[in-house]
Amino acid sequence: MSLRALKYHEQKLLKKVDFLQWKPEQNAREVAVLRRYHIQVREDYLKYNRLVGQIHKIMHKLKALPANDPYKTQTTEQILNKLYNMGIIHSRAASELDKVNVSAFCRRRLPVVMVRLHMSETLREAITFIEQGQVRVGPEAVTDPAMLITRTMEDFVTWVDGSKIKATIQKYHDKLDDYTLLGN
C-alpha cells in the first residue's frame, strides 16, 4: 500500500508546523478550575482572570508609591474593603491581596455558595436547581449559575416560594403550612 503524494497546500502547511517541537498549551490550571467549580462558560473564567490581573496590576502600582502617601493608604483601604465585602478575601489585611486569584472569584458563585450553605450536596445539583428556577436571591428568582454572591447577599439565598424542594424541606421539619397544602 502506498501513500498518496501531498498536495501543494499540505506541503506548505507542513513547512510552517513543526510537530516534533510542538508547543503545548499552558492551560492546565484553567482546565482544573473549570472542572472543579463546574464552570460551563469559559468566558466567565476569562473575566475572572482579567479581574485578578487588573487587581494585581493596581496593587503593584500602589506598592511603588511611597509608604506615607495618603492616596496609597486610601486606595489600598478601599480595595481591601471592596474585596472583603465581596467575599474574595477573608480579612482586611494587606497581606490578603496576594491570595486574590480566579478560584477566589469562583468560590463566590451561586452554586458554590449553595453547597456551602447545605442547600445541595453537589455543584452539579446546585447548578440544576438554579437553571430550573428553584433558587432566589432576595426577591428575585435566579437562573444564572454564574451570579456572584457577596457576603451580605449570602443571607438572602433561599428557595422560591412555589418550589417543591422548599415544600419537601418544610414537610421534613413539620413546618409545612396548611394553606400551602391546599395548593394555593
Side-chain angles (χ1 to χ4, degrees):
M1 181 173 149
S2 64
L3 296 174
R4 70 170 175 83
L6 294 176
K7 295 180 181 174
Y8 177 75
H9 71 279
E10 294 171 334
Q11 289 176 352
K12 293 284 282 183
L13 183 63
L14 279 177
K15 288 180 185 177
K16 292 180 184 177
V17 180
D18 183 12
F19 290 107
L20 299 176
Q21 301 296 324
W22 188 265
K23 181 182 173 192
E25 293 182 15
Q26 300 294 328
N27 65 348
R29 173 111 178 109
E30 177 183 341
V31 171
V33 170
L34 291 174
R35 260 196 208 130
R36 180 174 185 186
Y37 296 105
H38 293 280
I39 298 175
Q40 300 156 331
V41 181
R42 184 173 178 264
E43 283 75 32
D44 291 341
Y45 174 86
L46 296 176
K47 286 178 190 175
Y48 303 150
N49 200 14
R50 269 188 243 113
L51 279 171
V52 169
Q54 289 174 349
I55 291 169
H56 285 294
K57 184 178 176 183
I58 291 169
M59 293 314 298
H60 181 69
K61 288 182 179 182
L62 285 174
K63 286 180 183 178
L65 294 175
N68 59 357
D69 188 6
Y71 176 75
K72 176 182 180 175
T73 55
Q74 179 187 12
T75 307
T76 305
E77 191 71 28
Q78 287 175 344
I79 291 172
L80 286 170
N81 284 334
K82 183 65 128 175
L83 291 175
Y84 178 77
N85 290 338
M86 286 178 64
I88 304 299
I89 57 177
H90 299 294
S91 69
R92 290 185 172 100
S95 61
E96 288 283 318
L97 288 173
D98 296 332
K99 298 176 184 173
V100 175
N101 55 21
V102 175
S103 292
F105 279 93
C106 292
R107 284 190 291 269
R108 298 310 302 176
R109 290 169 60 97
L110 182 56
V112 178
V113 171
M114 284 179 60
V115 170
R116 199 168 359 99
L117 293 174
H118 303 290
M119 290 177 72
S120 69
E121 290 184 20
T122 64
L123 285 173
R124 176 65 46 212
E125 184 179 54
I127 290 170
T128 304
F129 290 152
I130 294 166
E131 289 173 344
Q132 290 174 350
Q134 301 278 342
V135 180
R136 68 182 167 103
V137 178
E140 300 287 324
V142 178
T143 58
D144 183 19
M147 182 178 188
L148 293 179
I149 304 296
T150 62
R151 288 182 193 273
T152 54
M153 289 169 56
E154 197 170 318
D155 296 334
F156 301 105
V157 176
T158 186
W159 304 108
V160 294
D161 291 333
S163 172
K164 296 203 181 244
I165 299 166
K166 181 177 182 179
T168 305
I169 293 170
Q170 288 177 339
K171 184 177 177 184
Y172 178 78
H173 292 296
D174 288 331
K175 295 182 181 178
L176 193 60
D177 191 15
D178 293 336
Y179 183 74
T180 311
L181 288 173
L182 293 174
N184 293 327

